[in-house]
Amino acid sequence: MSHLNLGLIGNGAVSALIDDRGRIVWSCFPRFDGDPVFCHLLQPGDHETGRGAFGIELVDFSHAQQHYEANTAVLTTLLHDRQGGCLEITDFAPRFRLFGRMFHPMMLVRQVRRVAGAPRMAVNLQPLFNYGGTAPEITFGSHHVRYVGAETALRLTTDASINAVLERREVFVEDTLTFMLGADETLHEAVAVVGRRFLEETKNYWHAWVRSLFVPVDWQDEVIRAAITLQLNACEDTGAIVAAMTTSLPEHADSGRNWDYRYCWLRDGYFVVNALNRLGATRTMEKYLSYILNVAAGHEHGMLQPVYGISGEKTLHERTAPALAGYRAMGPVRMGNLAYAQVQHDVYGSAILSATHMFFDHRLFRRGDVDLFHRLEPLGQKALANFDQPDAGLWELRGRQRVHTYSSVICWAACDRLSRIARQLGLGERQDYWRGEADRMHEIICREAWHEGKQAFVAAWGDDALDASMLLLHEFGFLAADDPRFASTVAAIEAELKHGDFIYRYVEQDDFGTPDNAFLVCTFWYVYALQALGRKDEACHTFETLLGCCNPLGLLAEDYCERSGELWGNFVQTYSMVGLINCALRLSRRWDQAY
């Protein structure tokens, strides 16, 4: 049965999910939102044949072990047979600086090394094209195999026996074999030499990147893994940040809540760059801001969509992939996402919040200036015009629109931050303008979104339903931690949305019924709130519970089933990894208390 005990490798161009037996079960080419040539994760009927996967199959397999090499995106899998034989698979996607720029080819590299005994293995490499619907045409030469589809051609270059690869024949592994899969281009050096060099350069890159991070004293390994994972979700070429690497992993069993997350939500992107900024990894923010500004420049009248394609594509038509049965046969498998056509007013605040750090961090090479401020002001005007207008909200309800409190608060945050930026730049008149508008919005939101009977800020104006996003009222600076309305809102959420140790997004019926699993980031938000309220012991207990939800490699999906202990939803989910980082930074001891 499929599960989410998967590891993620990548380089900002392509990525792959690898299961606990060393099989690549998900990977899209030529980029994150491309055709999943390895779609085994969504092909439950093909577990025996290995269609849609890249497997290194050990004869007489006994058990496996798996770990990341410390402080890198390099994954190691050890396969053991029943006679004491052992193979080591090292998986990575090359990423390092070369000729003054980032080298990040459309390439996956696998090294297979004999560790002990006399292991025998078969290579089971069966990519599929057109979302699992078409087998490739195969051609080969003395040291390569080409897998040709209608739009994409991949080349495997290897020092393994080509006939053994084509026939999936079992062979002894005497030393080390290298497999490089990527663009249909000739490799002009020995594959083993190139593979070793790429591995060392990639490890050196990640080691240097991690050394540049500010990490907390406590939970260092968890934070480092989360930070690397977030970086892997950023497209090096465009600056876009995808919400997850997968499509259509259901939020819970047979729910129909199967969505394509391989795109850039402006809201999610803000949360990612904010978390990485707190760790000192600001380059991602700079590239992401360029992405946002380019997207905004392509819209008349300053309107923004909630989500865009990796290159800023506006239209993400939603359709299904009939050849793929879905995770555990729980379809449909969707391509595209209709959220692009929704109205979600928080997008304007999310864009401005993403840029705010640039005006205050003196380490940055390209700091925010008056020109950037004036490019952000039209987004603030949109936030001002729409803060009291109905939208689909951050949970992207498809059946109705309301004036969602979260959207209103983020619109307020847009104007609040513009006032603070104007003050930083010495623009007194603009500071006063945006402060006056922010204060007026704050007063209206407090009046319209507060429910006297529940003693809480509610999901939508004039409604009585609660929403976990109200746990962020202090996080965005809308309410002080000692404001009694914040404490009472948290108490109301605990009473209605807390199930066991987890906070649900909401409990009201939506377009697909009632949510059945916990949306993990909501419980991370609960930890933020507990810490702000001075309830640190409870916050630490809840955080440790959340860490227990991680898979064996320290990664999280979108949702968690407390009954079965299983992760559900798209994977790896950036929201969840952001929550892990932010909680650790809040709850950890200071470095001057470490020893």
Side-chain angles (χ1 to χ4, degrees), residues 511-565:
D511 311 314
F512 293 85
T514 302
D516 195 45
N517 283 344
F519 196 80
L520 282 168
V521 75
C522 297
T523 308
F524 284 114
W525 294 346
Y526 180 51
V527 175
Y528 303 177
L530 291 174
Q531 188 272 338
L533 292 169
R535 297 162 59 182
K536 187 171 181 179
D537 289 344
E538 294 173 76
C540 288
H541 169 77
T542 304
F543 183 44
E544 290 290 352
T545 298
L546 286 162
L547 291 177
C549 300
C550 291
N551 77 6
L553 294 169
L555 307 181
L556 289 166
E558 180 183 56
D559 304 275
Y560 183 75
C561 177
E562 192 171 14
R563 297 184 301 278
S564 67

Side-chain angles (χ1 to χ4, degrees), residues 277-327:
N277 286 349
R278 291 179 177 185
L279 297 174
T282 55
R283 181 174 175 271
T284 306
M285 170 194 63
E286 295 179 81
K287 291 181 70 70
Y288 177 64
L289 182 59
S290 294
Y291 171 83
I292 290 178
L293 293 174
N294 284 322
V295 161
H299 282 274
E300 294 183 10
H301 314 300
M303 298 293 292
L304 288 179
Q305 298 173 189
V307 57
Y308 294 88
I310 289 175
S311 294
E313 298 92 339
K314 298 177 185 178
T315 303
L316 305 173
H317 290 304
E318 192 172 282
R319 56 204 189 281
T320 60
L324 296 176
Y327 181 74

Side-chain angles (χ1 to χ4, degrees), residues 21-38:
R21 290 186 60 167
R23 295 177 298 188
I24 296 177
V25 296
W26 182 262
S27 186
C28 299
F29 282 82
R31 61 185 201 177
F32 302 152
D33 61 351
D35 190 3
V37 297
F38 298 117

